[in-house]
Coordinates of all heavy atoms in Angstrom, one line a residue:
M1 N 17.7 55.0 23.4 CA 19.0 55.1 24.1 C 20.2 55.2 23.2 O 21.1 55.9 23.6 CB 19.1 54.0 25.1 CG 18.2 54.1 26.3 SD 18.6 53.2 27.7 CE 18.6 51.5 27.1
P2 N 20.2 54.6 22.1 CA 21.4 54.7 21.2 C 21.6 56.2 20.8 O 22.7 56.6 20.7 CB 21.1 53.9 20.0 CG 20.1 52.8 20.5 CD 19.3 53.5 21.5
R3 N 20.5 57.0 20.6 CA 20.7 58.4 20.2 C 21.3 59.1 21.4 O 22.2 60.0 21.2 CB 19.3 59.0 19.9 CG 19.4 60.4 19.4 CD 18.1 61.1 19.3 NE 17.5 61.3 20.5 CZ 17.8 62.3 21.4 NH1 18.8 63.0 21.1 NH2 17.2 62.4 22.5
L4 N 20.9 58.8 22.6 CA 21.6 59.5 23.7 C 23.0 59.1 23.9 O 23.8 59.9 24.3 CB 20.8 59.2 25.0 CG 19.4 59.8 25.1 CD1 18.6 59.3 26.3 CD2 19.4 61.3 25.0
G5 N 23.4 57.9 23.5 CA 24.7 57.5 23.6 C 25.6 58.2 22.6 O 26.8 58.4 22.8
K6 N 25.0 58.6 21.5 CA 25.7 59.4 20.5 C 25.8 60.9 20.9 O 26.8 61.6 20.6 CB 25.1 59.3 19.1 CG 25.2 57.9 18.5 CD 24.5 57.8 17.2 CE 24.6 56.4 16.7 NZ 23.9 56.2 15.4
T7 N 24.8 61.4 21.6 CA 24.7 62.8 22.0 C 25.7 63.0 23.2 O 26.4 64.1 23.2 CB 23.3 63.2 22.5 OG1 22.4 62.9 21.4 CG2 23.2 64.6 22.9
Y8 N 25.8 62.1 24.1 CA 26.7 62.2 25.3 C 27.7 61.1 25.2 O 27.4 60.0 24.8 CB 25.9 62.1 26.6 CG 24.8 63.1 26.6 CD1 23.5 62.8 26.3 CD2 25.1 64.4 27.0 CE1 22.5 63.8 26.4 CE2 24.1 65.4 27.1 CZ 22.8 65.0 26.7 OH 21.8 66.0 26.8
E9 N 28.9 61.4 25.6 CA 29.9 60.3 25.6 C 29.7 59.4 26.8 O 30.4 59.6 27.8 CB 31.3 61.0 25.6 CG 31.6 61.7 24.3 CD 33.0 62.2 24.3 OE1 33.9 61.6 24.9 OE2 33.3 63.3 23.6
I10 N 28.8 58.5 26.6 CA 28.5 57.5 27.6 C 28.5 56.1 27.0 O 28.3 55.9 25.8 CB 27.2 57.8 28.3 CG1 26.0 57.8 27.3 CG2 27.2 59.1 29.1 CD1 24.7 58.0 27.9
E11 N 28.6 55.1 27.9 CA 28.5 53.7 27.5 C 27.2 53.3 27.9 O 26.8 53.4 29.1 CB 29.6 52.9 28.2 CG 29.6 51.4 27.8 CD 30.6 50.7 28.6 OE1 31.7 51.2 28.8 OE2 30.4 49.5 28.9
I12 N 26.4 52.7 27.0 CA 25.1 52.1 27.3 C 25.2 50.6 27.3 O 25.6 50.0 26.3 CB 24.1 52.6 26.3 CG1 23.9 54.1 26.4 CG2 22.7 51.9 26.5 CD1 23.0 54.7 25.4
E13 N 24.8 50.0 28.4 CA 24.8 48.6 28.5 C 23.4 48.1 28.7 O 22.7 48.5 29.6 CB 25.6 48.1 29.7 CG 25.7 46.6 29.9 CD 26.5 46.3 31.1 OE1 27.5 47.0 31.5 OE2 26.2 45.2 31.7
V14 N 23.0 47.2 27.8 CA 21.6 46.7 27.9 C 21.7 45.2 28.3 O 22.4 44.5 27.7 CB 20.9 46.8 26.5 CG1 19.5 46.2 26.5 CG2 20.8 48.3 26.1
T15 N 21.0 44.9 29.3 CA 20.9 43.5 29.8 C 19.5 43.0 29.6 O 18.6 43.6 30.0 CB 21.3 43.4 31.3 OG1 22.6 44.0 31.5 CG2 21.3 42.0 31.8
S16 N 19.4 41.9 28.8 CA 18.1 41.4 28.5 C 18.1 39.9 28.8 O 19.0 39.2 28.4 CB 17.7 41.6 27.1 OG 16.5 41.1 26.8
K17 N 17.2 39.5 29.7 CA 17.1 38.1 30.0 C 15.6 37.7 30.0 O 14.7 38.6 30.1 CB 17.6 37.8 31.4 CG 19.1 38.2 31.6 CD 19.5 38.0 33.1 CE 20.9 38.4 33.3 NZ 21.4 38.2 34.6
P18 N 15.3 36.4 30.0 CA 13.9 36.0 30.1 C 13.4 36.5 31.5 O 14.1 36.5 32.5 CB 14.0 34.5 30.1 CG 15.3 34.1 29.5 CD 16.2 35.3 29.8
K19 N 12.1 36.9 31.5 CA 11.5 37.4 32.7 C 11.7 36.5 33.9 O 11.9 37.0 35.0 CB 10.0 37.7 32.5 CG 9.4 38.5 33.6 CD 8.0 38.9 33.2 CE 7.4 39.7 34.3 NZ 6.0 40.2 34.0
S20 N 11.7 35.2 33.7 CA 11.8 34.3 34.8 C 13.1 34.4 35.6 O 13.2 34.2 36.8 CB 11.6 32.9 34.3 OG 12.6 32.5 33.4
E21 N 14.2 34.8 34.9 CA 15.5 35.0 35.5 C 15.6 36.2 36.4 O 16.4 36.3 37.3 CB 16.6 35.1 34.4 CG 16.9 33.8 33.7 CD 18.1 33.9 32.9 OE1 19.1 34.5 33.2 OE2 18.1 33.3 31.8
Y22 N 14.7 37.2 36.2 CA 14.6 38.3 37.1 C 13.8 38.1 38.4 O 13.8 38.9 39.3 CB 14.0 39.5 36.4 CG 14.8 40.1 35.3 CD1 14.4 39.9 33.9 CD2 16.0 40.8 35.5 CE1 15.2 40.4 32.9 CE2 16.8 41.3 34.5 CZ 16.3 41.1 33.2 OH 17.1 41.6 32.1
N23 N 13.2 36.9 38.5 CA 12.4 36.5 39.7 C 13.1 35.5 40.5 O 12.4 34.7 41.2 CB 11.0 36.1 39.2 CG 10.2 37.2 38.6 OD1 10.3 38.3 39.1 ND2 9.4 36.9 37.6
T24 N 14.4 35.4 40.4 CA 15.1 34.4 41.2 C 15.7 35.0 42.5 O 15.9 36.2 42.5 CB 16.2 33.7 40.4 OG1 17.2 34.8 40.0 CG2 15.7 33.1 39.1
D25 N 16.0 34.2 43.4 CA 16.7 34.6 44.6 C 18.1 35.2 44.3 O 18.5 36.2 44.9 CB 16.9 33.5 45.6 CG 15.6 33.1 46.2 OD1 14.6 33.9 46.3 OD2 15.5 31.9 46.7
E26 N 18.8 34.6 43.3 CA 20.1 35.1 42.9 C 20.0 36.5 42.4 O 20.9 37.4 42.7 CB 20.7 34.2 41.9 CG 21.1 32.8 42.4 CD 19.9 31.8 42.4 OE1 18.8 32.1 41.8 OE2 20.0 30.8 43.1
Y27 N 19.0 36.8 41.6 CA 18.8 38.2 41.1 C 18.6 39.2 42.2 O 19.2 40.2 42.3 CB 17.7 38.2 40.0 CG 17.6 39.6 39.5 CD1 18.4 40.1 38.5 CD2 16.6 40.5 39.9 CE1 18.3 41.4 37.9 CE2 16.5 41.8 39.4 CZ 17.4 42.2 38.4 OH 17.3 43.5 37.9
F28 N 17.7 38.8 43.1 CA 17.4 39.7 44.2 C 18.6 39.9 45.1 O 18.8 41.0 45.7 CB 16.2 39.2 45.1 CG 14.9 39.4 44.3 CD1 14.2 38.3 43.8 CD2 14.3 40.6 44.1 CE1 13.0 38.4 43.2 CE2 13.1 40.8 43.4 CZ 12.5 39.7 42.9
D29 N 19.5 39.0 45.2 CA 20.7 39.1 46.0 C 21.6 40.1 45.4 O 22.5 40.7 46.1 CB 21.4 37.8 46.2 CG 20.7 36.8 47.1 OD1 19.8 37.2 47.9 OD2 21.0 35.6 47.0
L30 N 21.5 40.4 44.1 CA 22.4 41.4 43.5 C 22.0 42.8 43.9 O 22.7 43.8 43.6 CB 22.3 41.3 42.0 CG 22.8 39.9 41.4 CD1 22.6 39.9 39.9 CD2 24.3 39.8 41.7
D31 N 20.8 43.0 44.5 CA 20.3 44.3 44.9 C 20.1 45.3 43.7 O 20.4 46.4 43.8 CB 21.2 44.9 46.0 CG 20.5 46.0 46.8 OD1 19.2 45.9 46.9 OD2 21.1 47.0 47.2
L32 N 19.7 44.7 42.6 CA 19.4 45.5 41.4 C 17.9 45.8 41.4 O 17.1 45.1 42.0 CB 19.8 44.8 40.2 CG 21.3 44.5 40.0 CD1 21.6 43.6 38.9 CD2 22.0 45.9 39.8
P33 N 17.5 46.8 40.6 CA 16.1 47.1 40.6 C 15.2 46.1 39.9 O 15.8 45.2 39.1 CB 16.0 48.4 39.8 CG 17.3 48.4 39.0 CD 18.3 47.7 39.8
V34 N 14.0 46.1 40.1 CA 13.0 45.2 39.5 C 12.9 45.5 38.0 O 12.8 46.7 37.6 CB 11.6 45.3 40.1 CG1 10.6 44.4 39.4 CG2 11.7 44.9 41.6
A35 N 13.1 44.5 37.1 CA 13.1 44.7 35.7 C 11.6 44.9 35.2 O 10.7 44.3 35.8 CB 13.7 43.5 35.0
P36 N 11.4 45.6 34.2 CA 12.3 46.4 33.4 C 12.7 47.7 34.2 O 11.9 48.2 35.0 CB 11.5 46.8 32.2 CG 10.1 46.8 32.6 CD 10.0 45.8 33.7
A37 N 14.0 48.0 34.1 CA 14.5 49.2 34.8 C 15.6 49.9 34.0 O 16.1 49.4 33.1 CB 15.1 48.7 36.1
I38 N 15.8 51.1 34.4 CA 16.9 51.9 33.9 C 17.7 52.5 35.0 O 17.2 53.1 35.9 CB 16.4 53.1 33.0 CG1 15.6 52.5 31.8 CG2 17.6 54.0 32.5 CD1 15.0 53.6 30.9
M39 N 19.0 52.3 34.9 CA 20.0 52.8 35.9 C 21.0 53.7 35.2 O 21.4 53.3 34.1 CB 20.7 51.7 36.7 CG 19.9 50.9 37.6 SD 20.8 49.6 38.5 CE 21.8 50.6 39.6
V40 N 21.3 54.8 35.8 CA 22.4 55.7 35.3 C 23.4 55.8 36.4 O 23.1 56.4 37.5 CB 21.9 57.0 34.8 CG1 23.0 57.9 34.4 CG2 20.8 56.9 33.7
G41 N 24.6 55.2 36.2 CA 25.5 55.1 37.3 C 24.8 54.2 38.4 O 24.3 53.1 38.1
D42 N 24.8 54.7 39.6 CA 24.2 54.0 40.7 C 22.7 54.4 41.0 O 22.1 53.9 41.8 CB 25.0 54.1 42.0 CG 26.3 53.4 42.0 OD1 26.4 52.5 41.2 OD2 27.2 53.9 42.7
E43 N 22.3 55.4 40.2 CA 20.9 55.9 40.4 C 19.9 55.1 39.6 O 20.0 54.9 38.4 CB 20.9 57.4 39.9 CG 19.5 58.0 40.1 CD 19.6 59.5 39.7 OE1 20.6 60.1 39.6 OE2 18.5 60.0 39.6
I44 N 18.9 54.7 40.3 CA 17.7 54.0 39.6 C 16.8 55.1 39.1 O 16.2 55.8 39.9 CB 17.0 53.0 40.6 CG1 17.9 52.0 41.1 CG2 15.8 52.4 39.9 CD1 17.4 51.1 42.2
V45 N 16.7 55.1 37.8 CA 15.8 56.1 37.1 C 14.4 55.7 37.2 O 13.5 56.4 37.5 CB 16.3 56.4 35.7 CG1 15.4 57.5 35.0 CG2 17.7 56.9 35.7
T46 N 14.2 54.4 36.8 CA 12.8 53.8 36.9 C 12.9 52.3 37.0 O 13.9 51.7 36.6 CB 12.0 54.2 35.6 OG1 10.7 53.7 35.7 CG2 12.6 53.6 34.3
E47 N 11.9 51.7 37.6 CA 11.8 50.3 37.6 C 10.4 49.9 37.5 O 9.5 50.4 38.2 CB 12.5 49.7 38.9 CG 12.0 50.1 40.2 CD 12.7 49.5 41.4 OE1 12.9 48.3 41.3 OE2 13.1 50.2 42.3
G48 N 10.2 48.9 36.7 CA 8.8 48.4 36.5 C 7.9 49.2 35.7 O 6.7 49.0 35.6
K49 N 8.4 50.3 35.1 CA 7.6 51.2 34.2 C 8.5 51.9 33.2 O 9.7 52.0 33.4 CB 6.7 52.1 35.0 CG 7.6 53.1 35.9 CD 6.7 53.9 36.8 CE 7.6 54.8 37.6 NZ 6.8 55.6 38.5
D50 N 7.8 52.6 32.3 CA 8.6 53.4 31.3 C 9.0 54.8 31.9 O 8.4 55.2 32.9 CB 7.7 53.7 30.1 CG 7.5 52.4 29.3 OD1 8.3 51.5 29.3 OD2 6.5 52.4 28.5
V51 N 9.9 55.4 31.2 CA 10.3 56.8 31.6 C 10.4 57.6 30.4 O 10.8 57.1 29.3 CB 11.6 56.7 32.4 CG1 12.8 56.2 31.5 CG2 12.0 58.0 33.1
S52 N 10.2 58.9 30.5 CA 10.3 59.7 29.3 C 11.8 60.0 28.9 O 12.7 59.9 29.8 CB 9.6 61.1 29.6 OG 10.4 61.9 30.5
E53 N 12.0 60.2 27.7 CA 13.3 60.5 27.2 C 13.9 61.7 27.9 O 15.1 61.8 28.2 CB 13.3 60.6 25.7 CG 14.7 60.8 25.1 CD 14.7 60.9 23.6 OE1 14.0 60.1 23.0 OE2 15.5 61.7 23.1
E54 N 13.0 62.7 28.1 CA 13.5 64.0 28.7 C 14.0 63.7 30.2 O 15.0 64.2 30.6 CB 12.3 65.0 28.8 CG 12.0 65.6 27.4 CD 11.1 64.6 26.6 OE1 10.4 63.7 27.2 OE2 11.0 64.8 25.4
T55 N 13.3 62.9 30.9 CA 13.7 62.5 32.3 C 15.0 61.8 32.2 O 16.0 62.1 33.0 CB 12.7 61.7 33.0 OG1 11.4 62.4 33.0 CG2 13.1 61.2 34.4
L56 N 15.2 60.8 31.3 CA 16.4 60.1 31.2 C 17.6 61.0 30.8 O 18.7 60.9 31.4 CB 16.2 59.0 30.2 CG 17.4 58.1 30.0 CD1 17.9 57.4 31.2 CD2 17.1 57.0 28.9
E57 N 17.3 61.9 29.9 CA 18.4 62.8 29.5 C 18.8 63.7 30.6 O 20.0 64.0 30.8 CB 17.9 63.6 28.3 CG 19.0 64.4 27.6 CD 18.6 65.0 26.3 OE1 17.4 64.9 25.9 OE2 19.5 65.7 25.7
A58 N 17.9 64.2 31.4 CA 18.2 65.0 32.6 C 19.1 64.3 33.6 O 20.0 64.8 34.1 CB 16.9 65.5 33.2
V59 N 18.8 63.0 33.8 CA 19.6 62.2 34.8 C 21.0 62.0 34.2 O 22.0 62.1 35.0 CB 18.9 60.9 35.1 CG1 19.8 60.0 35.9 CG2 17.6 61.1 35.8
I60 N 21.1 61.7 32.9 CA 22.4 61.6 32.3 C 23.2 62.9 32.5 O 24.4 62.8 32.8 CB 22.3 61.2 30.8 CG1 21.8 59.8 30.7 CG2 23.6 61.3 30.1 CD1 21.4 59.3 29.3
C61 N 22.6 64.0 32.2 CA 23.3 65.3 32.3 C 23.8 65.5 33.8 O 24.9 65.9 34.0 CB 22.4 66.4 31.9 SG 22.2 66.5 30.1
R62 N 22.9 65.2 34.7 CA 23.3 65.3 36.1 C 24.5 64.4 36.5 O 25.4 64.9 37.2 CB 22.1 65.0 37.0 CG 22.3 65.3 38.5 CD 21.0 65.2 39.3 NE 20.3 64.0 39.2 CZ 19.1 63.9 38.7 NH1 18.4 64.9 38.2 NH2 18.5 62.7 38.6
Q63 N 24.5 63.2 36.0 CA 25.6 62.3 36.3 C 26.9 62.8 35.7 O 27.9 62.6 36.2 CB 25.3 60.9 35.7 CG 24.3 60.1 36.5 CD 24.8 59.6 37.8 OE1 26.0 59.2 37.9 NE2 24.0 59.6 38.9
L64 N 26.8 63.4 34.5 CA 28.0 63.9 33.8 C 28.4 65.3 34.2 O 29.3 65.9 33.7 CB 27.8 63.9 32.3 CG 27.6 62.5 31.6 CD1 27.2 62.6 30.2 CD2 28.8 61.6 31.8
E65 N 27.6 65.8 35.2 CA 27.8 67.2 35.7 C 27.7 68.2 34.6 O 28.5 69.1 34.5 CB 29.1 67.3 36.5 CG 29.1 66.4 37.7 CD 30.4 66.5 38.5 OE1 31.4 67.1 38.0 OE2 30.4 65.9 39.6
L66 N 26.7 68.0 33.7 CA 26.4 69.0 32.6 C 25.2 69.7 32.9 O 24.4 69.3 33.7 CB 26.2 68.2 31.3 CG 27.4 67.4 30.8 CD1 26.9 66.5 29.6 CD2 28.5 68.3 30.3
P67 N 25.0 70.9 32.3 CA 23.7 71.6 32.5 C 22.6 70.8 32.0 O 22.7 70.0 31.1 CB 23.9 72.9 31.7 CG 25.1 72.7 30.8 CD 25.9 71.6 31.4
P68 N 21.4 71.0 32.6 CA 20.2 70.2 32.2 C 19.9 70.5 30.7 O 20.2 71.7 30.3 CB 19.1 70.6 33.1 CG 19.6 71.8 33.8 CD 21.1 71.9 33.7
P69 N 19.3 69.6 30.0 CA 19.0 69.8 28.6 C 17.9 70.9 28.5 O 17.1 71.0 29.5 CB 18.5 68.5 28.1 CG 18.1 67.7 29.3 CD 18.9 68.3 30.5
K70 N 17.8 71.6 27.4 CA 16.7 72.5 27.2 C 15.4 71.8 27.0 O 15.4 70.7 26.5 CB 17.0 73.3 25.9 CG 18.1 74.2 25.9 CD 18.2 75.0 24.6 CE 19.4 75.8 24.5 NZ 19.5 76.5 23.2
K71 N 14.4 72.4 27.6 CA 13.1 71.8 27.5 C 12.6 71.9 26.0 O 12.8 73.0 25.4 CB 12.1 72.5 28.4 CG 12.4 72.3 29.8 CD 11.2 71.9 30.6 CE 11.6 71.8 32.0 NZ 11.0 70.6 32.6
K72 N 12.1 70.9 25.5 CA 11.6 70.9 24.1 C 10.2 71.2 24.0 O 9.4 70.7 24.8 CB 11.9 69.5 23.4 CG 13.4 69.2 23.3 CD 13.6 67.9 22.6 CE 15.0 67.5 22.5 NZ 15.3 66.3 21.9
G73 N 9.8 72.1 23.1 CA 8.4 72.4 22.9 C 7.8 71.4 22.0 O 8.4 70.5 21.5
F74 N 6.5 71.6 21.9 CA 5.7 70.6 21.1 C 6.2 70.5 19.7 O 6.4 69.4 19.1 CB 4.2 71.1 21.0 CG 3.4 70.2 20.1 CD1 3.0 69.0 20.5 CD2 3.0 70.7 18.9 CE1 2.2 68.2 19.7 CE2 2.2 70.0 18.1 CZ 1.8 68.7 18.5
L75 N 6.5 71.7 19.0 CA 7.0 71.6 17.6 C 8.4 71.0 17.5 O 8.7 70.3 16.6 CB 7.0 73.0 17.0 CG 5.7 73.6 16.7 CD1 5.8 75.0 16.2 CD2 4.9 72.7 15.7
D76 N 9.3 71.2 18.6 CA 10.6 70.6 18.6 C 10.5 69.1 18.6 O 11.2 68.4 17.9 CB 11.4 71.1 19.7 CG 11.8 72.6 19.6 OD1 11.9 73.0 18.5 OD2 11.9 73.2 20.7
R77 N 9.6 68.6 19.5 CA 9.4 67.1 19.6 C 8.8 66.6 18.3 O 9.1 65.5 17.9 CB 8.5 66.8 20.8 CG 9.2 67.0 22.1 CD 8.4 66.4 23.3 NE 7.1 66.9 23.4 CZ 6.7 67.9 24.2 NH1 7.6 68.5 24.9 NH2 5.4 68.3 24.2
L78 N 7.9 67.3 17.7 CA 7.2 66.9 16.5 C 8.2 66.8 15.3 O 8.1 65.8 14.6 CB 6.0 67.8 16.2 CG 5.1 67.4 15.0 CD1 4.4 66.1 15.4 CD2 4.1 68.5 14.7
T79 N 9.1 67.7 15.2 CA 10.0 67.7 14.1 C 11.3 67.1 14.4 O 12.2 66.9 13.6 CB 10.3 69.2 13.7 OG1 10.9 69.9 14.8 CG2 9.0 69.9 13.2
G80 N 11.5 66.6 15.7 CA 12.7 65.9 16.1 C 13.9 66.8 16.3 O 15.1 66.3 16.2
R81 N 13.7 68.0 16.6 CA 14.8 68.9 16.8 C 15.2 68.9 18.3 O 14.6 68.6 19.2 CB 14.5 70.4 16.5 CG 14.3 70.5 15.0 CD 14.2 72.0 14.7 NE 13.1 72.1 13.8 CZ 12.5 73.3 13.5 NH1 12.9 74.4 14.2 NH2 11.5 73.4 12.7

């Protein structure tokens, strides 16, 4: 995520708590997704599982009203381009 924060002018906030704190009535009252989760704006990208960097980048672009990122081929991912 730090790389995406440098690529796009966005603020990334990471909240980390012991797992037990996510299973409280107070947490559920906040109406937040089940941890681990990723939210972009008010959109829940994933909860309870991983998400690909490409999916996350596409959601960020949509929130910022930017064109979707170019699809990366195998060699681009391999070389980090």
Side-chain angles (χ1 to χ4, degrees):
M1 286 197 304
R3 186 189 66 74
L4 292 175
K6 291 178 183 175
T7 302
Y8 303 99
E9 292 187 27
I10 57 173
E11 179 181 327
I12 295 177
E13 180 180 330
V14 176
T15 303
S16 179
K17 300 177 182 181
K19 189 173 183 175
S20 62
E21 287 190 38
Y22 292 109
N23 293 322
T24 64
D25 290 337
E26 292 81 15
Y27 181 81
F28 287 109
D29 288 344
L30 296 173
D31 200 29
L32 293 172
V34 177
I38 296 176
M39 292 181 70
V40 177
D42 291 333
E43 182 177 345
I44 298 171
V45 179
T46 187
E47 60 181 313
K49 60 183 179 182
D50 289 334
V51 66
S52 71
E53 185 175 318
E54 291 81 16
T55 300
L56 180 58
E57 189 170 4
V59 173
I60 290 170
C61 287
R62 187 170 52 247
Q63 286 285 324
L64 296 174
E65 298 180 353
L66 297 172
K70 291 182 185 179
K71 296 228 181 225
K72 294 180 180 180
F74 175 75
L75 289 177
D76 293 330
R77 288 192 303 264
L78 187 64
T79 59
R81 289 189 229 163

